[in-house]
Amino acid sequence: MNRRELVNAIAAHTGQNNKDVDAILNGFTDVVTAVAAKGEPVVLSGFAKFVRRDSPARMGRNPATGEAIKTKASKKARITPLKGFKDAVMSPSAAPKLASGVWPPAPKTAAKKAPAKKKAPVRKTVAKKKAPAKKAPARRR
């Protein structure tokens, strides 16, 4: 499912129009990203936890030579699925029920098709005679 399909599915499920759902989804991603970038965790109960994880500088070992090396401090994004989400994914009977036609989307019957493109005219070429194929010498085993 890509972003457009997600927006369409949410709009169909909630009865909102696609433009409003897209604006809300943009706002959600902006707020979660900004808050997590500041180091604060964002928790959606039963769904997921978004957090920035800071790892300090430390001493490590080169596995090939055994030489001690220093690794830099780093920051990583971590998204952890929470119990409600995991339970719904592991047993689909626990997942929320969607209205019919939300996902997979119902096929549109009166969809307009794009006009067919004209094909380029086919040019006839004169076939050239090919030289006879040379036989490869027999291999010795």
Side-chain angles (χ1 to χ4, degrees):
M1 175 183 276
N2 61 27
R3 182 182 177 87
R4 180 181 293 152
E5 292 169 340
L6 177 63
V7 167
N8 291 339
I10 293 171
H13 187 66
T14 61
Q16 302 295 319
N17 66 25
N18 291 2
K19 195 172 185 179
D20 292 341
V21 171
D22 190 40
I24 290 169
L25 197 57
N26 279 333
F28 171 76
T29 56
D30 291 345
V31 170
V32 169
T33 304
V35 171
K38 290 181 180 178
E40 293 290 324
V42 177
V43 180
L44 298 174
S45 297
F47 182 66
K49 179 179 179 181
F50 303 85
V51 68
R52 182 182 79 187
R53 188 177 68 84
D54 299 327
S55 63
R58 60 184 177 83
M59 293 301 291
R61 294 220 174 260
N62 181 341
T65 62
E67 175 188 358
I69 56 173
K70 185 172 183 172
T71 59
K72 297 180 194 175
S74 65
K75 297 174 185 169
K76 294 183 167 80
R78 177 172 286 172
I79 301 171
T80 307
L82 298 180
K83 186 177 183 334
F85 179 77
K86 286 193 258 185
D87 290 346
V89 170
M90 297 313 227
S91 61
S93 62
K97 304 298 179 217
L98 300 176
S100 70
V102 172
W103 190 258
K108 295 183 179 178
T109 55
K112 292 183 180 179
K113 291 185 178 180
K117 293 182 180 179
K118 292 183 179 179
K119 294 183 178 180
V122 178
R123 295 183 184 177
K124 294 183 180 178
T125 57
V126 178
K128 295 180 182 179
K129 288 187 177 181
K130 293 183 179 179
K134 295 181 181 179
K135 292 186 177 179
R139 293 186 180 178
R140 292 185 185 179
R141 292 188 180 192

